[in-house]
């Protein structure tokens, strides 16, 4: 491992050092490049522990309507993978929390794993989440990621067996990502009763930290799950703010929203 | 083609995988590129399918529904006037259009719904393009008293209206999908999203040899009855094996179903026909194997129509059932190995073939199947009209009447 590799891995583990981080997700370049950048900076100001940047894909089959729409809009504005990397690099200059790229496998394959990994590292990315690349299909991508010091964050689902949770926990570098319910991304009203049981099951098996996401959209969700996860990902609820608020207000609203979540996580 | 009349079956020792690897791969193609939530369900399905398919009772139930309810075996019919007209050889049609519900899709649906019943699922979902798979699923769901939701791109809802009405009369709910190009790809995304959400209660009946393992393998096994039957019928009725086999390829299930029984006899030429739309150069087509690149979509690695940066592009075909930017992973494998040759025919050529078959044989083919008929004109002329060409007539054309009548009005 090179010096910088070690630093990136540390960065990702460090976010759990003295807090339960709130990790906002925003689709790259949504709703415009400008608002996207401003919103992420606002979210970091508000206390976000790391940031997930969505790499838009034409067929986001793990996503609900809000993130689907955001991907479609971003693609219409030309936010393809090369552009995502450029935006990320720009952002890197202004914020100092770890950046994670989240998206589907095919665009990465077409760029080539090596080339993508190199460019992601150059852009200051710490790790990736690829929802349509479960552990069983990730051999090559994991090897390339390891060479470049990029973290792999795998998903754990409520349907995942105990044996598989252990496998995924080992495969994830830094941390794993628990999806709160079987389903696609999207804001939900209440925390499902099954989510607590699921997270308790993960707690008993996982050795690394794990965050929870999918459906986290209000401070009370975080309060309810506070002692059951090491961090909280908020995606659709934030993307909806960007969809519904006028461009001028969006970063402000996002700031207020993330701050309320960060407080709930304290 | 048309080599010697007394040809010997030729097994060259090349092996065309009889089943995928444990990881669900045909060569480098296939796999399980799906969200984690679905992995345990796919593992369970793989086991359930293997056990069922090895069980004589399951096979008996599958066969008896297909014969007593579905009308199998479907006839093998020599199209003499068509052969006379085309001078490419003796054209023999495998009449999958005569299945109950009007296409080969029933074979697969019967298998999958029997599996759903065995695993006590009360709800099935499906994606559909032409509506044939949706109709077949709605039909068998009705027969078994299961609730059934069918996802269909809203463009296809318009152009295949009769099938939407059929599904609704059969008690299914048709859910129009407005995202993307509003066709089969988008319906498939939405069906997968439903399955991820309702995986415990719902069986996803996929309509072709696509999707994550075990679907491409399982659907092939449920469709291979086409070729298994045809092989016997060729011997009995024609007195010899075919020289060539031709089938249209959307996802590839009728083609794989037709080819599998003959796969290891390399003296038999196999041709898969993709939708050339407005022509390959126009970019408006669905010829995935002819013009696509390797990538990952809907759970498996295969050829895809995509942009340089890996976004899936919008395909085009006059035929809703072929209008799909992916193709089954086993076809990708067969393409690379050269065992099957893939070509494309345009919308125009398919429409001409539709009329040709109607006028020479009194059969209205599905527009999908019309692609296979159109491909015959691309075969070399056969002076003696002696070689035996098997064509899979995958479905009937009633559903396409509006499209065909419209297209003919526009061109005349
Ligand atoms: C009659 C008919 N033939 C062919 C197809 C294409 O599917 P596949 O390539 O899986 O046979 C369809 C799909 O809807 C169809 O309805």
């Amino acid at each position: 491992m090179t010096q910088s590799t070690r630093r990136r891995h540390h960065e990702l583990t460090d976010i759990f050092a003295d807090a339960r981080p709130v990790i906002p997700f925003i689709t790259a370049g949504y709703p415009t490049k400008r608002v996207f950048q401003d919103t992420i900076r606002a979210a970091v100001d508000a206390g976000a522990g790391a940031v997930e940047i969505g790499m838009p894909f034409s067929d986001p089959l793990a996503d609900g309507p809000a993130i689907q729409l955001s991907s479609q809009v971003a693609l219409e504005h030309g936010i393809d993978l090369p552009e995502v990397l450029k935006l990320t690099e720009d952002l890197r200059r202004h914020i100092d929390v770890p950046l994670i790229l989240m998206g589907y496998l095919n665009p990465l394959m077409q760029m080539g794993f090596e080339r993508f990994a190199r460019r992601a590292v150059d852009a200051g990315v710490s790790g990736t989440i690829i929802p349509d690349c479960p552990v069983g299909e990730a051999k090559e991508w994991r090897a390339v990621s390891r060479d470049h010091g990029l973290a792999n964050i795998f998903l754990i689902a409520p349907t995942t067996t105990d044996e598989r949770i252990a496998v995924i926990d080992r495969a994830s570098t830094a941390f794993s990502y628990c999806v709160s319910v079987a389903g696609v991304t999207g804001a939900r009203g209440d925390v499902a009763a099954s989510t607590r049981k699921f997270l308790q099951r993960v707690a008993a098996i996982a050795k690394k930290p794990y965050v929870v996401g999918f459906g986290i959209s209000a401070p009370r969700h975080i309060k309810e799950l506070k002692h059951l996860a090491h961090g909280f990902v908020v995606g659709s609820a934030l993307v909806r703010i960007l969809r519904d608020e006028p461009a001028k207000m969006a970063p402000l609203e996002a700031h207020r929203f993330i701050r309320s979540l960060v407080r709930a996580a304290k | 083609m048309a080599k010697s009349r007394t040809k010997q079956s030729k097994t060259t020792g090349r092996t065309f995988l009889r089943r995928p690897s444990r990881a669900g791969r045909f060569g480098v193609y296939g796999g399980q590129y799906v969200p984690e939530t679905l992995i345990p369900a796919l593992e369970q399905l793989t086991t359930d399918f293997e056990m069922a398919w090895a069980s004589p009772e399951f096979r008996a139930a599958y066969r008896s529904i297909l014969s007593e309810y579905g009308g199998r075996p479907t006839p093998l019919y020599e199209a003499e006037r068509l052969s006379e007209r085309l001078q490419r050889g003796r054209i023999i049609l495998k009449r999958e259009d005569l299945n109950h519900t009007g296409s080969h899709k029933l074979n697969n649906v019967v298998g999958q719904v029997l599996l759903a019943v065995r695993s006590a699922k009360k709800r099935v979902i499906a994606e559909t393009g032409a509506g044939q798979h949706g109709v077949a699923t709605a039909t068998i769901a009705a027969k078994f008293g299961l609730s059934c939701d069918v996802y269909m791109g809203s463009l296809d809802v318009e152009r295949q209206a009769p099938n939407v009405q059929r599904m609704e009369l059969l008690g299914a709910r048709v859910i129009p999908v407005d995202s993307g190009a509003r066709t089969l790809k988008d319906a498939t995304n939405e069906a997968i999203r439903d399955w991820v959400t309702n995986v415990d209660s719902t069986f996803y009946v996929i309509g072709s040899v696509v999707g994550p393992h075990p679907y491409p393998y399982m659907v092939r096994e449920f469709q291979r009855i086409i070729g298994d039957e045809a092989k016997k019928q060729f011997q009995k009725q024609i007195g010899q094996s075919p020289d060539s086999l031709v089938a249209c390829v959307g996802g590839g299930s009728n083609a794989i179903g037709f080819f599998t029984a003959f796969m290891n006899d390399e003296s038999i030429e196999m041709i898969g026909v993709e939708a050339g739309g407005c022509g390959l150069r126009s970019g408006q087509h669905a010829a995935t194997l002819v013009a696509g690149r390797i990538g990952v979509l809907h759970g498996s690695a295969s050829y895809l129509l995509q942009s340089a940066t890996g976004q899936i592009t919008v395909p085009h075909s006059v035929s809703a059932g072929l209008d799909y930017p992916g193709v089954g992973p086993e076809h990708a494998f067969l393409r690379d190995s050269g065992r099957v040759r893939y070509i494309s025919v345009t919308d125009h050529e398919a429409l001409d073939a539709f009329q040709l078959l109607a006028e020479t044989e009194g059969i209205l083919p599905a527009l999908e199947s019309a692609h296979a008929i159109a491909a015959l004109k691309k075969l070399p002329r056969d002076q003696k009209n002696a070689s035996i060409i098997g064509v899979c007539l995958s479905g009937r054309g009633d559903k396409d009447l509006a499209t065909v009548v419209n297209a003919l009005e526009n061109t005349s």
Side-chain angles (χ1 to χ4, degrees), chain A residues 23-41 43 51-60 62-81 83-85 87-88 91 99-104 185-186 233-243, chain B residues 311:
Chain A
I23 306 174
F25 166 97
I26 306 183
T27 305
Y30 182 74
T32 63
K33 289 186 198 176
R34 189 61 211 258
V35 176
F36 162 76
Q37 301 256 14
D38 290 350
T39 304
I40 288 194
R41 291 171 70 172
V51 172
E52 273 181 31
I53 297 171
M55 303 180 273
F57 181 50
S58 53
D59 296 81
D63 286 303
I67 294 177
Q68 280 177 48
L69 177 74
S70 71
S71 303
Q72 199 179 324
V73 169
L75 284 174
E76 279 161 13
H77 293 170
I79 314 294
D80 233 327
L81 192 47
E83 196 58 35
V84 171
L85 290 164
L87 275 174
T88 306
L91 204 66
L99 296 176
I100 297 160
L101 292 180
M102 177 159 182
Y104 295 82
T185 56
V233 179
V234 54
S236 298
L238 188 56
V239 168
R240 285 210 306 216
I241 290 178
L242 297 181
R243 183 192 66 193
Chain B
Q311 306 296 341

Side-chain angles (χ1 to χ4, degrees), chain A residues 56-61 63 68 75 80 105-107 109-110 131-132 134 137 155 157 159-160 164 168 182-184, chain B residues 25 31-37 39-40 43 185 189 192-193 196-197 293-296 298 304 306 308-312:
Chain A
F57 181 50
S58 53
D59 296 81
L61 52 74
D63 286 303
Q68 280 177 48
L75 284 174
D80 233 327
L105 191 62
N106 195 55
M109 276 180 76
Q110 303 311 316
D132 62 345
E137 300 295 355
L155 303 188
T159 52
T160 307
R164 260 185 88 82
I168 295 170
V184 294
Chain B
R25 298 265 175 182
Q32 292 183 328
Y33 295 94
V34 293
E36 172 63 24
T37 307
I39 296 286
E43 283 173 359
K185 156 182 95 85
N189 290 337
I192 294 174
R193 290 182 188 119
V196 173
T197 309
R293 291 198 330 274
I294 297 170
V296 166
H298 295 154
L304 299 179
Q306 55 181 316
T309 53
Q311 306 296 341
I312 309 306

Side-chain angles (χ1 to χ4, degrees), chain B residues 102-105 128-133 163 184 207-210 219 223 248-256 319-322 327 331 365-369 392-396 399-400:
Chain B
S103 81
H104 70 292
K105 299 285 180 186
T128 197
Q132 290 302 102
H133 174 62
N163 273 344
L184 183 53
S208 190
V209 284
V210 300
V219 176
Q223 288 292 4
C248 68
V249 176
S253 67
N254 87 89
I256 283 283
S319 137
L322 303 182
V327 68
H331 282 291
L367 275 176
E368 292 78 19
S369 323
C392 187
L393 199 73
S394 55
R396 68 174 186 229
K399 68 186 176 62
D400 294 314

